[in-house]
Every structure is written in structure tokens, then in C-alpha cells.
Amino acid sequence: MRRSRFLINTLKETPKEAVVVSHILMLRTCMIKQLASGIYTYMPLALRSLRKIENIIREELDAAGCQELLMPMVQPAELWSESGRWQAYGKELLRFEDRKDNGYCLGPTHEEVITDIARREIRSYRELPVNLYQIQSKFRDEIRPRFGLMRGREFIMKDAYSFDTDEQSCDESYWQMYEAYKRIFTRCGLTFRPVEADSGNIGGSYTHEFHVLAGSGEDEILSCSHCDYAANVERAELKTFEPAAMPDSVPTPEEVSTPAQKTIEAVAGFLGVKPEQCVKTLVYRAGDRIAAAALMGHRELNETTLRNEMGAAEIELVTDAATFQANGLAPGFMGPLDWPKDIPIYVDDEVMAQSSVVTAANKVDTHVKNVVPVAHFNPTKVLTLRAARAGDGCPRCGEGVYESYRGIEVGQVFKLGIKYSESMKAFYLDAEGNERPMVMGCYGIGVSRTMAAAIEQNHDKDGIIWPVQIAPFHVALLNLDIKDEEVVAACEAIESGLALHGVEVLVDDTANRPGPKFKDADLIGMPVQVKVGARSLKQGQVELKVRKTGERRSVALAEAVDEILADLKNLGWNSAPGQV
Amino acid sequence: MRRSRFLINTLKETPKEAVVVSHILMLRTCMIKQLASGIYTYMPLALRSLRKIENIIREELDAAGCQELLMPMVQPAELWSESGRWQAYGKELLRFEDRKDNGYCLGPTHEEVITDIARREIRSYRELPVNLYQIQSKFRDEIRPRFGLMRGREFIMKDAYSFDTDEQSCDESYWQMYEAYKRIFTRCGLTFRPVEADSGNIGGSYTHEFHVLAGSGEDEILSCSHCDYAANVERAELKTFEPAAMPDSVPTPEEVSTPAQKTIEAVAGFLGVKPEQCVKTLVYRAGDRIAAAALMGHRELNETTLRNEMGAAEIELVTDAATFQANGLAPGFMGPLDWPKDIPIYVDDEVMAQSSVVTAANKVDTHVKNVVPVAHFNPTKVLTLRAARAGDGCPRCGEGVYESYRGIEVGQVFKLGIKYSESMKAFYLDAEGNERPMVMGCYGIGVSRTMAAAIEQNHDKDGIIWPVQIAPFHVALLNLDIKDEEVVAACEAIESGLALHGVEVLVDDTANRPGPKFKDADLIGMPVQVKVGARSLKQGQVELKVRKTGERRSVALAEAVDEILADLKNLGWNSAPGQV
């Protein structure tokens, strides 16, 4: 492909509206153009990468026995009423009426449509399992679209739906998809983790999210250094501590004056102990109610756990003097010892495992030493309140420790169960002739989001560093002397030589000077760059550069094609589709 | 692909709601499922064919220098207001508001969006020409969706848009697309004609429609037997006749009594002449006005021509006695001789070329013989009023004659000119630095409609006869004894042998008896059928059947793959993509 015939206008400056790196780089490389808030045109460069991601998905899902179909984007209200979601789904569901005043919506997801197909087409257990998928533009009317393709309104998604006779068979379908997803993201050249996740609004028995790891990711993930276990930080399990044994002789707590020492670090320093020996106590509000959480001084609270324990939709740290005063609490000097009986206090199991701690005395400028939690504390409940973090031991295998990553969710596998098949009457006849609801799973991949996540994970200050498998082109071939016939001939020879191997080349045949061509090639980020200039060509040489490593070398023109192929293979490229 | 794992439930009966053959056969073969009026799910079988059509389109457009992108389906009202179409487009444009009450529509076509991209991205004549296309689901809120995919509301379309510096360059882009379209429909294995057409509502200087020829087509097309000229029957040009020479001695017309002989055929029979010697006269109404058209008795009127001549949006044949009476006309006995002066009468040039005709006398039960049009008629205007028809000479080449076909419009190429670039200010700088509007063309292919048209053109009483290039699978392999291990092994050998050549096989491994399997194979219509049964396999034989010709033969198992490949090649199959 000649760049002079390919629509890429690169930008030197960072566009004002973009804050995340994938958005910035996609705008700077002319990959996307905003049409309206959260609605983008995929320009030719972006579409080439999207198609590669889509094809990897197709090959892997077809190999896993899935069947591709294509459902409509415009869906009738009646169907959504059957599942109850016409009412239940929020404003993200864009509803409208056609010229005959019938209600419709733009599909944000397709459980209703696919369940309708299944109930019409599938009669017998002999026809199950079935797994159907599509790749399609979806629409969700996000209240605050942002970050370019990371949270758009119109976006490309792969959605798959499995139908099985029973729970066990559904689990098999689920894990097949789980494995297919691992192959898909591996083949995309991405570093990722499948993590256990909450089932969210859609309902269902269990679910994994697939996260592409990137420093800019919205979510923190903890992953075991030894086994496969990984989870969102809010959900990551922890080893629980057994309570300490009750000492034969319980020491008497000793009050000490700690004037104006309100933080754990200050108190520990003042008393010459470590934060790991101090207990900290936080007060949270849920509506009118308040409750306290106590944990060791070096840990953070897992707010999700406390929120669930308080049975609240939202909780908030109490910081206002009026609330403390109204409840007789001394901010900065609160502790489980002599805690007011009318305020619940939840204590982390790690606290109860200590033989002796320092805690605040519920009196201004006062702490207490020689406190034995099992003897002196009277918790409302003991549970694991602390947030998991890097370095904590993995409770699953008992061998590894957690490592922390930031992730971008690009896929999710979901065991739906019979939520839709019951409400929409998607029944089959089992071997005994009984009607049973099909057991469903659903499986999404954000295709456009995966492309954005690939850029979040693979870039440097100069631009994108495309994973070779999903790069729009494999090679950027820079013609540095477009009026020199020998240079033009050499470029054509390399391009056609590579084409024989299925290598896609973007030839920079513009009138730009070499400097801007180099900068553009780094910005656009094709895996291998080839520079062909008159001077080095006189010595029969062209220069190769691997974008990822920055490594450069001169090679003989006659060997350029082989050398480029070798570089691409080193980067993980395989010309044969279907082979990982 | 195993049929037992592929969702195809065939129907024996014709579904009630379907009247055209493509709709019937797509429902019977489980290719499509209706979700709402004019809105269908493409089931796996249909999607395979659609993808092949799409890929042929892609390869040919890429080869023609076009670039693929993907524009949003949801488009903001402001953009449509700029072109004036937010107001002008009728109710087929589905308009709605998002959660923030901003106006949007579902894209029925993308001139506005692409013109917006062009004006933002293209600055200089050096960047032109550019031709951008996409393949996407479109939505048009048809008032009467019907005929399955032939006239749906949500449908798959390829739309391309060219931008050029001037008229001449635009013409080159136009004809490149015209040629690409010919290659596309040829590669789809379809018999088609590009025909000159009216530019319709979209406006623009000229246009061709591409019609797939099929007896069930809505449009009549006339095509020259000698040259490339073809046109919709309403638009087909005709040779004009020169008026007859005025005779030296003009005969006197002779009235004859023709009691109750009201039709041309009756009059001709009664008077012993041919219809070709009689003039017929029809009266049309346009609102309050009426006008007459006279042409030779064996011809039909081209109503489009008369309507344009009357300057009316619609005209209607007058048949009610009251109108005739009010205007002093004798229905069944009207003719140009002594025609009332206050009613315009348009006379076909073929009439004026006759030396002597028979015509009605404007008196009940009376005709007139020995009438010389150039002497006795006083037409308001002479023009070509008759409709072109098969057998008429081609006016373009002067050598061929028209042949008549019925066609289904599947594509259109359109020279748009500067309609959108002027209203939306899509300007570029020419070599002298002057701002000029880009000259645009637009080019559509109905992808889902092409699939339907392929079935309209290629079927028989038993089912579909897929053109090999767009068949969902190339081969239907019928396992007639699924419990016989040797039969199973033979089927697997054939399937894997064919897979090496890129041949796609649908294996009927269901528990159905042979009869229903044969019927299903004919219905679903894969180009080649292979029947493997225990009895013939004992003799080392399998049976091949070519769906199109019905030809059957037994071949040795060892030669089956080669024989099938030979059959496929005879049918026009070529495994190498990109080669026609």
C-alpha cells in the first residue's frame, strides 16, 4: 500500500480532547475520527487492525465449535419486555419508535434476540449444546463517554451465547470459551490475565473477566506468582488468620499520652513501635447508619467487604466533626477498646491474631499499649476486612504471593444459568420427554476496546508499538529518495518480495523529508521499519529497524526480504492463519 | 462442518408469509429468521454466503485502489441539517434522540458522514482522488417492508464514495467503479446487466444500475443484442422515425361503420387490416388536466415520457364515462382526426411516419380509412411516445435489436457531482491555490439483496442452486449409513481430502433416512453432492451429483476428491482468492 494513496494525516500535537494514551495515539495516527460524543469512524488504518482481531476471534471460536450468525441491531420492545429488561435496563438502552409508533431499541447486547432464536429452533436435547456468536457494532448510551474507544457509545463487540442441557454441560461450554479466550488474546500478542470477577447487573452464577495488563488500566488485579489464580483487587481472596491463643496471664492495658499524634505513622514513631503493631479504626456512614472497621495499621480496608457487611449500596468514610461529636467519638484517637456499644465495630481477623497491639483509647491525645485483642476487644464481628495487596500469600495454592497489575477489561465469560431461558420460555425436551430450560452462558469481547488496550499496553514516547499479529501493516517501508529510480526499484522489489510471503507493507512514498518520515514511522508503529535511501543503496545496503527494541542494522538489499521475515518471526508473526 | 452441529432446521412447507422464491427458500433452509417487520437475523448458513460476497467486493474494490473504513450507524442531526436532508428525507430516515435529547438518525446512507471526513482530511489536489468504502448494516424505515431480504428495513450494504478534483477525474473514478462492479458480479457467478437509469431523488448527473437477471425481477430491462447498451424499459432509447413524405395527391379519408369494435384487435379484424396499420388514442389525467397520446396499434405507451411531457408527478389513464362525456369524447372511438382543439394530443413519431392509417373517428361505432397523418393530423407535439420493447432496433449501435430481461437491482453507481461538497463545504486547494468543491461519486451494492437475487436467479422446484463462488459450502456430503464405520471413514477421508484444497464441505451426519437427506441437499443447494452409502461403498464406489445439471455418476472412492474438484472447476470455482 502506498501512503500517498492511503488516508493517514498524522498530527504532531496531542489533541486537546484526549487524555489517555490510546485515544491520543489513535487521533494522532488518523485511526479514528469522532463523529459525535462516543461515536467514531474507524479510518482505514484502524480497520485493518480491527479486522485482524476479528479474524483471530473467528478462527478460535470456529475451532471451538461455535457458529457465527448476525443478529439485527434494531430490536423490538416486546422481546425486551419478555425478559423484563425493557423496564429494568437504564438509559444506556437507547429506545425509540419507528414510523408506525412501535417501540424499538438499539442492541446493547443480544440475550433476548438469541434466546428467541434458540426457543424457536431448538427442540430436543439432541440438538444441544449450541454456541452462537456474532461480531457487530453495539450501542450503549453512556452518560459520560470518554477515553476514545475505551468507553464509547457505538463500539464493536463479539458476543457469543451458549445453550446447554444442564449445569455440568454449561460448565464445559464455559471453560471451552475460557480457553478459547486465552488463545485469542495470546494470538493478539497481548499480555493479559483472566480474573475472577463479580457478576454485576446481568446476573448469573460466575464469571471471569479478561484484562489486558497496562499501567493505565482502570482496574487493579492481583495475580498469584505460582498458580493461575487472579482476581480484581476488591474480590481477591486472602488467607484468614486464626485468633491468637488466650494468654495464661492477660496483661493490663497501659494508657500513654500521645498528644496530637493522629496518624498511625505518627503514633508508631512517637511510641517507638511499627505500624504493623498498631490497630487503626475507621468509621463509615451508610445513609443514617454508621459502623467502624478496625485493622492493622499497615493495611487498607476493602470497602466492598464492609459495604456488603453493612448491607448498603454505598458507604462513605466519615470525616466531619459533627458526626464524630454526635456519636461521642474522638477522631484520630478511636480504637476497639471500650468502643461504644451502640455502634457496630467490625474487626479484621489479622487484628485478632496479634498477641499484643497498640490502639487508640477513644480519648483525645491518648493511646493504650499491652492490649490483647482476644482478651480486651469485643467486636461485633470478626472477618477479613483488609484489602488484598501485592506480597500477600495466595490462599488457593498456598505457595505463591500476589503480584499487582493494572488491567483493562477486554472480555468476559459469564455463566448466565436459566435467567433468560426461564423468563422467555426457551425450553427443550430431555431424553425422558420433560420440558427443561436451557442453561445459558454469554461471552463478550470488546473488539474495538481490545485494539485500544493493545495500544495502552504497547507504546512508548514516540508512538505505537504494534504487536505484529494485529498490526495494520507488518512493515513500514520508507522511501527516502522518491525521485531516485534505483531507490524506487529497490522499494518495489522489497515490497513484492514480501508480498509473496503474505507480509503487508505500507510504503512511505510521500514527498516528506527523511526526519518526518522516521518520526511518522515510529508514531504509526509498524513492527519493522525498512529505510531505503540513495546513499546507502549505492553500497547495496538498506537499513532495518525493529520498532519494539529500537535495534537497527544495515543489510544487503538482496537479503532484505529474508532479514525482514526473520525479524517478523522473532516478533511472533506467523503467516499461516489458524496456527498460533 | 457437521450438520448435526450446525443450526439448519429445514421446512417442508412454504411459509405463509413468503411470496417470492428467495424469501421462501431462505426461510425453508433456515438462512434467515424474522425478528420484526423487515428485520432479519442472518443464520449461519446465510452468513457464510454473505461473507463470500463481501470478500469478493473487498478484493475487487481494494484492487481498484479503494480504501475500506467503517463509519458509525448512529449519526447526528446537525450533519444532516448541513446537507438539507434532515428536513428533506422522508420517514425512511429513522430519527430519535439520545439521553441528552440530542437528535440522531440511523444511517440509511453515508454521504453526510463521508463528506464531513473528506472536508476535514483532504486539503490539496495532491491528495485526490480518494475512494472510500465500507460494508455495514443500514436502516431504512420502509413503509411496506416485503419479500424477505429483497426489501427489508435493516440490510447489509457496501457503500463507496469517490472524491475527485474535477468532472473528468470523477468520470474516471466512475468508470473504474463500473468496471469493478462488473468484475464483482461476474465473480459472484451471477448473470447481470449494467443499465442506464434515472438519477432518482439523490440528484446527480448520471447513473447506472446493476441488475441481476431473474424472471421474478421487479424491473424490465432492454439490452442490445450487439452492443453494451442496456436500460430500464422506461428509459430505453428508441430510433426516431422521420415523418412520411407528403404525397403528391392526398387521398380523402373514408368513414366506415365499425359497430361495437372498440379494441384495436377487433377493429383490425373487422376491417381486415393489421393492428400495425391502426392508430390508437389514449386519454390521461394529471390532476384537473387531461391530454391524449396517439401511437400505432401494436405499441404500448411509455407513461414516463407522457408524464414528463405533461409536467406532472403522476398521471392516470382515464376510464370513467363522466370524464369522456364532459370532454365530448367517445371512448373506444377516439382518434387524432378532428381532435377537440382544447385537449392537447401528443402523437408518436412512428404514427407520423406512416403513409396511410386507420383511425377512430371520434364518433361512436365509426372509424376512418385512408388517413395520411402528415396531411390529416394536427398534433400538439410529435415525439417518441411508444415504449421500447424486445425486437426494437438499438439506436446506439444501429446494428443490434433489444432483448428483454427482468432484473433485480443489486448495485448502483452514481455521479453525484458537487451536491454534497458544495452544501457541506468540502473544498480542496487546486494547483493554483484556489478553493474548489470536490467532485463526488457514490456507489452502492446491496449485499444481502445480492444474496437474495442470486437465489431468485438460481433455483428450481426442488430448491436453491448456489453459484459455486458464493455457496455457503461447496459440497454436500451425505452419509447414508451413519452407523457404518467404513462409511464414516470414507466421509472423513473425502472431507479432509477436500479441505486440503480449500473446499468447504457440509456433512449430513444426521439420523435422517436417505430420502429426506436427498431432498434437503437439493433444497439447500450446494453445487456438488456426494452420497456415501454402505452398499455402493462395498464396490468401492460413491455417487456424485451436480446440483445444477442433475447429472449423476458413480466414481471410485479413491478418485472422489479429484472428481469433485473437477466438477467444482467446471462450475467456475477457483480456490485462489483474487483470481477471476
Side-chain angles (χ1 to χ4, degrees), chain A residues 421-466:
Chain A
S421 45
E422 278 221 310
S423 63
M424 294 182 62
K425 302 191 174 53
F427 298 128
Y428 72 96
L429 293 177
D430 69 12
E432 286 76 41
N434 302 311
E435 264 197 346
R436 292 184 183 282
M438 303 179 211
V439 185
M440 290 174 59
C442 71
Y443 315 90
I445 290 178
V447 177
S448 40
R449 200 162 210 248
T450 297
M451 180 171 70
I455 295 174
E456 293 286 342
Q457 185 179 78
N458 300 282
H459 67 272
D460 62 15
K461 64 175 178 32
D462 297 321
I464 303 170
I465 305 171
W466 282 107

Side-chain angles (χ1 to χ4, degrees), chain A residues 395-407:
Chain A
R396 288 279 173 98
C397 67
E399 308 213 7
V401 293
Y402 281 144
E403 293 165 348
S404 168
Y405 300 93
R406 298 207 74 85

Side-chain angles (χ1 to χ4, degrees), chain A residues 5 7 9 33-34 42 51 67-68 70 73 98-100 104 121 129 141 143 153-154, chain B residues 5 7 9 33 42 51 67-68 70 73 98-100 104 120-121 129 141 143 153-154:
Chain A
R5 303 250 48 81
L7 208 54
N9 295 323
K33 295 286 158 188
Q34 182 172 315
Y42 305 102
R51 291 275 183 259
Q67 300 173 47
E68 188 177 2
L70 183 60
M73 59 186 183
D98 72 356
R99 65 193 293 165
K100 289 168 185 165
Y104 287 88
E121 293 303 310
D141 201 1
I143 190 162
R153 293 199 289 173
E154 186 171 327
Chain B
R5 303 250 48 81
L7 208 54
N9 296 323
K33 295 285 159 189
Y42 304 102
R51 290 276 183 257
Q67 301 173 48
E68 188 178 2
L70 183 60
M73 61 188 181
D98 72 357
R99 66 193 294 165
K100 290 171 185 163
Y104 287 88
R120 290 200 279 165
E121 294 303 313
D141 201 1
I143 192 161
R153 292 200 290 173
E154 187 171 324

Side-chain angles (χ1 to χ4, degrees), chain A residues 158-338:
Chain A
K158 185 285 298 175
D159 46 326
Y161 306 89
S162 64
F163 297 87
D164 281 275
T165 50
D166 56 26
E167 294 285 327
Q168 191 191 333
S169 173
C170 179
D171 286 351
E172 282 171 29
S173 296
Y174 182 94
W175 290 108
Q176 271 179 14
M177 291 300 273
Y178 179 95
E179 293 299 326
Y181 273 38
K182 291 211 299 195
R183 288 192 295 273
I184 287 166
F185 294 115
T186 301
R187 284 188 57 193
C188 285
L190 299 173
T191 305
F192 68 95
R193 285 280 185 294
V195 306
E196 295 187 8
D198 268 325
S199 59
N201 288 328
I202 201 167
S205 22
Y206 52 88
T207 173
H208 284 83
E209 292 170 357
F210 284 74
H211 284 260
V212 166
L213 305 184
S216 59
E218 281 187 297
D219 300 309
E220 188 185 351
I221 294 157
L222 294 176
S223 175
C224 175
S225 59
H226 181 77
C227 75
D228 272 348
Y229 181 64
N232 266 324
V233 65
E234 297 82 17
R235 202 189 145 84
E237 295 171 9
L238 282 166
K239 285 183 191 164
T240 54
F241 287 89
E242 291 299 311
M246 183 69 75
D248 294 337
S249 122
V250 176
T252 308
E254 177 192 344
E255 279 198 5
V256 289
S257 173
T258 49
Q261 308 299 324
K262 292 194 175 187
T263 67
I264 286 293
E265 289 69 27
V267 170
F270 187 82
L271 296 179
V273 296
K274 292 181 177 169
E276 289 89 323
Q277 296 170 270
C278 303
V279 173
K280 74 177 170 192
T281 303
L282 306 163
V283 177
Y284 274 81
R285 180 193 345 258
D288 295 338
R289 295 178 292 141
I290 63 168
L295 58 164
M296 296 312 296
H298 63 302
R299 304 297 309 214
E300 299 299 321
L301 176 72
N302 184 337
E303 292 193 356
T304 305
T305 310
L306 180 63
R307 191 184 65 214
N308 291 342
E309 195 56 41
M310 291 177 75
E314 282 187 19
I315 61 173
E316 184 190 18
L317 184 66
V318 172
T319 55
D320 63 301
T323 305
F324 288 121
Q325 207 167 355
N327 288 284
L329 296 172
F333 297 94
M334 298 180 295
L337 197 64
D338 302 325

